Amino acid sequence: MLQVGALSGLEDTAKDLIQQQMRPLALAAGAYAFRAGDTCTNYLVVKKGSVKVSVMTESGREIVLYRVQEGETCVLTSACLMSGAKYEAEGVAESDTEAIILPKPAFEELLATSPRFRQFVFSTYGDRLHNLIGLVQEITFKRVDRRLARHLLSLATAGVIQTTHQTLANDLNTAREVVTRLL
């Protein structure tokens, strides 16, 4: 069960604590892992699948902040657990997803007692923050047509792309009409 990402490299005492405290979480595609305004009570590690973390603008447009993939954790969850703040975004399973969750007290104990766990949490936090700054720069400064071309190339499997204009727009943080016009 602890062969998930960096958790496999933790100290034995940290692994034991996780083994005792963790609970499995199964999310069907489209199910919410969390919603904006929810209180955060558990640390989430994705074992299989993907959770999309996004916010909605006042105009109803979705902005995808990041995705939590296999072996990764949600840094928004980490931030909420450490600060006591409520979620300011939503997490939705993009596919059937399996995860483990640790209650907040176990998370706090691991932060206090496990240097490897603490390093994992803060390096993940730093990486995601770096990526979010890149997202802001991309949205602000880069042309949508170039972003769309790069994104289409990243989605192509054997020259085929299976998605919708709306999904592309959500991924690129633009309007569906813009994607349709560019395509």
Side-chain angles (χ1 to χ4, degrees):
M1 195 63 110
L2 288 181
Q3 300 308 314
V4 179
L7 296 183
S8 61
L10 296 178
E11 304 89 351
D12 288 340
T13 55
K15 286 181 185 179
D16 290 343
L17 177 64
I18 292 171
Q19 200 69 38
Q20 293 167 8
Q21 296 289 319
M22 72 180 183
R23 294 188 318 260
L25 176 66
L27 296 168
Y32 285 88
F34 53 85
R35 296 176 190 256
D38 285 354
T39 300
C40 182
T41 58
N42 295 298
Y43 184 65
L44 174 83
V45 181
V46 172
K47 289 176 51 182
K48 180 181 173 189
S50 175
V51 175
K52 175 179 66 175
V53 178
S54 61
V55 294
M56 295 298 272
T57 65
E58 286 182 8
S59 65
R61 204 173 103 211
E62 179 183 45
I63 297 177
V64 178
L65 300 175
Y66 57 89
R67 287 176 168 80
V68 184
Q69 307 286 345
E70 183 176 322
E72 295 179 343
T73 65
C74 177
V75 297
L76 180 58
T77 296
S78 299
C80 290
L81 285 171
M82 289 187 283
S83 69
K86 294 182 185 246
Y87 282 107
E88 302 233 2
E90 63 182 25
V92 177
E94 292 189 293
S95 59
D96 290 346
T97 300
E98 296 174 20
I100 61 170
I101 55 174
L102 285 173
K104 183 177 180 175
F107 172 79
E108 290 172 338
E109 184 175 340
L110 285 165
L111 275 182
T113 62
S114 171
R116 289 183 186 159
F117 182 78
R118 193 169 41 254
Q119 174 62 31
F120 170 68
V121 169
F122 286 111
S123 73
T124 301
Y125 201 85
D127 290 344
R128 194 64 79 185
L129 181 59
H130 176 75
N131 291 339
L132 285 170
I133 290 170
L135 173 65
V136 169
Q137 289 174 331
E138 187 170 298
I139 291 170
T140 307
F141 301 117
K142 292 188 180 172
R143 293 178 33 182
V144 176
D145 58 343
R146 292 183 182 165
R147 290 177 24 224
L148 176 60
R150 271 195 310 276
H151 190 58
L152 288 171
L153 287 172
S154 74
L155 292 175
T157 304
V160 176
I161 300 169
Q162 294 185 342
T163 190
T164 66
H165 290 199
Q166 185 61 58
T167 300
L168 290 169
N170 291 346
D171 289 348
L172 297 171
N173 300 305
T174 190
R176 182 198 50 78
E177 296 81 5
V178 172
V179 169
T180 300
R181 180 176 41 82
L182 290 171
L183 289 173

